[in-house]
Amino acid sequence: MAINKAMRAALKALSYPDIDIRKTYPIERALRTAAGRPVLFYKPWDHVVHYGDHDIPVRIFSPETEGEHAILLFFHGGGWVTGNIDSYDKVCRNMAKLTDRSVVSVDYRLAPEYRFPAAPEDCYAVAREIFLDLSLFGMRADQITLIGDSAGANLAAAVSLMARDRGEFLPRSQILIYPATAADHTENSPFPSVRENGTDYLLTSKRICEYMELYRSGPEDCENPYFAPLAAEDFSNQPQTLILTAEYDPLRDEGEAYGEALKRAGVPVEMHRIPDALHGFFSLPPRFAQVQKAYGYINRFLDEVSHPACQDNP
């Protein structure tokens, strides 16, 4: 359904231009957790990955079908500040059901209590454990796909870059849903979507700047590709990639720019812009047309990754 005048007016009113997430993030974090709290009749498996001086909680969601299932290693959104493993519980349950894959959700450390590079290092640590000890799930490495939305997609891209640079493992595929890939979301941004969609569509450019201010340790992080993947000097040797962007999202253009950068480096990339979609649409119930369209692309991509030989046949 297209965004009509009444809906535009409502979205503008809900975009909260005067709220400063740097002051209110504890409240928003609590609200998101309450909204996504697990239902009582569903019991996923909770696990921890030991890393350094702390444990990283991991929650595994199994699909409803019997048998062996490939893995989606999921990094949640929330601007590196407000999301968590509980607030994404419903999203992950739906993901497991709609893709017929096991979803491994990572509860990485949040800013500002733990600033960059805590989040990507946590995500890398979980990925490293799964890829280097395939007996954990009885999977082959090529049966594991990285996936994330927004800040989580940023982290998925960062983990893939880290994996290439460190040489310990390399994911075969990744799915980036409206990823944050750049560091500048002010009026100086080179991406038109920051200005076109940065005020009246729930996620504002002002809020993105505030999230990043809470997340970064210092201005030098803006040049670090693990913070802003578009800052990378080398985009080669990256996983086969699916990128989904939203039409009315300030992050739209930078996500697509990242896809183009990967393409120029010879990486197989598929990109789709979901029409009439806002940032965050992936967390909506599956009945929404935008969510259905997204899962259509995701399942087709996963099938192609799982059966690469089919792509060579006429």
Side-chain angles (χ1 to χ4, degrees):
M1 182 177 66
I3 299 178
N4 56 34
K5 289 183 179 180
M7 189 178 296
R8 285 179 189 272
L11 289 171
K12 184 173 183 178
L14 290 170
S15 294
Y16 305 127
D18 297 327
I19 290 180
D20 188 339
I21 192 64
R22 293 169 296 185
K23 299 177 181 178
T24 63
Y25 72 86
I27 298 173
E28 181 165 335
R29 191 183 289 174
L31 290 173
R32 286 188 179 220
T33 300
R37 184 161 289 146
V39 292
L40 295 177
F41 62 80
Y42 186 84
K43 185 175 176 58
W45 177 43
D46 285 332
H47 177 60
V48 295
V49 171
H50 304 290
Y51 173 61
D53 60 355
H54 68 284
D55 292 336
I56 307 165
V58 173
R59 186 167 293 169
I60 297 96
F61 300 80
S62 298
E64 297 175 346
T65 57
E66 297 293 331
E68 185 179 274
H69 301 95
I71 292 172
L72 296 176
L73 180 54
F74 179 71
F75 309 124
H76 64 76
W80 310 276
V81 174
T82 61
N84 58 45
I85 201 169
D86 287 333
S87 66
Y88 269 80
D89 190 273
K90 292 177 183 177
V91 174
C92 291
R93 283 190 284 115
N94 288 331
M95 194 185 310
K97 179 179 180 179
L98 295 174
T99 64
D100 198 35
R101 266 123 175 123
S102 295
V103 176
V104 180
S105 181
V106 180
D107 205 20
Y108 56 86
R109 289 172 292 173
L110 298 178
E113 294 89 345
Y114 302 96
R115 295 176 181 265
F116 178 84
E121 290 292 352
D122 280 1
C123 294
Y124 181 86
V126 175
R128 181 182 184 278
E129 176 169 300
I130 293 174
F131 276 92
L132 296 188
D133 186 359
L134 297 174
S135 66
L136 287 173
F137 293 98
M139 292 286 110
R140 303 188 312 271
D142 61 6
Q143 294 176 292
I144 306 167
T145 297
L146 305 188
I147 181 171
D149 70 321
S150 192
N154 165 283
L155 293 170
V159 168
S160 293
L161 292 169
M162 295 165 77
R164 178 201 62 194
D165 296 344
R166 297 179 181 182
E168 296 183 291
F169 65 91
L170 187 64
R172 177 176 175 178
S173 54
Q174 63 180 355
I175 299 172
L176 311 179
I177 303 170
Y178 37 77
T181 63
D184 185 358
H185 299 89
T186 68
E187 284 296 314
N188 298 322
S189 168
F191 302 112
S193 63
V194 171
R195 291 174 290 279
E196 294 171 2
N197 303 326
T199 56
D200 299 334
Y201 298 100
L202 299 183
L203 178 67
T204 65
S205 56
K206 172 180 176 289
R207 174 160 289 201
I208 300 170
C209 291
E210 291 168 355
Y211 277 138
M212 287 197 151
E213 185 177 334
L214 290 170
Y215 177 46
R216 72 185 186 189
S217 296
E220 66 279 2
D221 292 339
C222 296
E223 303 302 320
N224 190 321
Y226 306 155
F227 179 89
L230 268 176
E233 296 181 358
D234 180 7
F235 296 93
S236 65
N237 197 22
Q238 286 296 277
Q240 183 173 343
T241 302
L242 171 65
I243 295 178
L244 302 180
T245 61
E247 181 178 3
Y248 297 105
D249 184 356
L251 300 182
R252 182 194 67 204
D253 293 349
E254 66 190 72
E256 295 171 1
Y258 191 65
E260 294 298 335
L262 292 175
K263 281 184 181 180
R264 289 192 295 271
V267 177
V269 177
E270 179 183 342
M271 287 194 290
H272 300 280
R273 181 185 295 183
I274 307 298
D276 299 321
L278 306 179
H279 186 89
F281 78 85
F282 193 66
S283 295
L284 293 171
R287 67 177 180 274
F288 281 83
Q290 293 88 343
V291 180
Q292 293 176 15
K293 187 176 290 290
Y295 274 109
Y297 291 132
I298 288 170
N299 283 324
R300 186 178 72 183
F301 175 79
L302 291 172
D303 185 62
E304 291 173 353
V305 169
S306 300
H307 305 92
C310 297
Q311 301 176 41
D312 300 327
N313 296 331

